[in-house]
Structure formats: C-alpha cells, structure tokens
Amino acid sequence: MTLQEYDYARESPSKLAASCLLLALTMKNLGGWTPTLEYYSGYSAQDLHPLVKRLNFLLTYQPRDKLNAVRSKYSHRVFFEVAKATPMDMLKLEETLTSS
C-alpha cells in the first residue's frame, strides 16, 4: 500500500520494512521488538513508533475504491488473508507501543 503513497517514498526501505514487521507483531499479539530484531535491523522500537502509527493510520483510513486487485490478491488464503486483517485501534496501539 505504501508504494502508491508519496509520503512514504522518503522513508528508507529498511525502516519501512522494520516498521511493518513491528506493526504486524503488535496486531497479532506476537510480542514486541526484541533485542535480536533491534540488532539485526539497526532500529530501536522507539525509532519505529512514529512510522508504525502512520502505517496503522494508512490501514485504518484506506480508500476502499483503490487497489482492488491488490486487496483481492492478498485476501486469498495463499497470502494468509492479510488484506482482511483489522487495523488496531489507534489508542490501543499507542498504549502497546509505549508499554514495551
């Protein structure tokens, strides 16, 4: 989704990927940002928090009339139906990020 949003073009691909991973871990309640992830990514959880919040906002307020082919593709079980994932409540995300 970020490929079609100009605001994300200035983010480094590694930071964007790390933020997406942290958001996915948080959404699925699979734990937080571990020292191993920090070491190999080069980013601390605090470095990623602003971008994680922006990504969740993008998921929450995405226009439904765009990217139908992408949404259809990633709604298939082969891709674990990630397009059907419910974004986190912004307040809950904030609480989760600050508590870790």
Side-chain angles (χ1 to χ4, degrees):
M1 292 180 62
T2 60
L3 291 175
Q4 297 200 2
E5 297 292 331
Y6 185 73
D7 292 341
Y8 293 92
R10 68 175 184 263
E11 299 293 345
S12 77
S14 63
K15 188 172 187 179
L16 189 58
S19 297
C20 289
L21 177 59
L22 179 55
L23 179 57
L25 291 171
T26 306
M27 287 173 72
K28 292 294 189 177
N29 201 22
L30 295 173
W33 202 245
T34 65
T36 303
L37 290 170
E38 183 173 342
Y39 176 81
Y40 285 107
S41 71
Y43 298 107
S44 70
Q46 289 73 28
D47 295 337
L48 303 175
H49 287 179
L51 188 51
V52 169
K53 292 177 200 173
R54 286 178 47 216
L55 289 167
N56 192 62
F57 185 84
L58 179 64
L59 288 174
T60 303
Y61 297 105
Q62 63 183 324
R64 295 288 175 192
D65 58 334
K66 289 184 176 180
L67 305 174
N68 288 329
V70 173
R71 188 171 294 105
S72 175
K73 176 181 178 177
Y74 288 99
S75 292
H76 195 273
R77 69 173 208 238
V78 170
F79 297 103
F80 303 101
E81 299 177 336
V82 296
K84 295 179 182 178
T86 306
M88 287 191 71
D89 176 72
M90 295 301 277
L91 293 174
K92 184 178 179 183
L93 178 62
E94 179 71 32
E95 289 173 10
T96 305
L97 293 175
T98 54
S99 68
S100 44

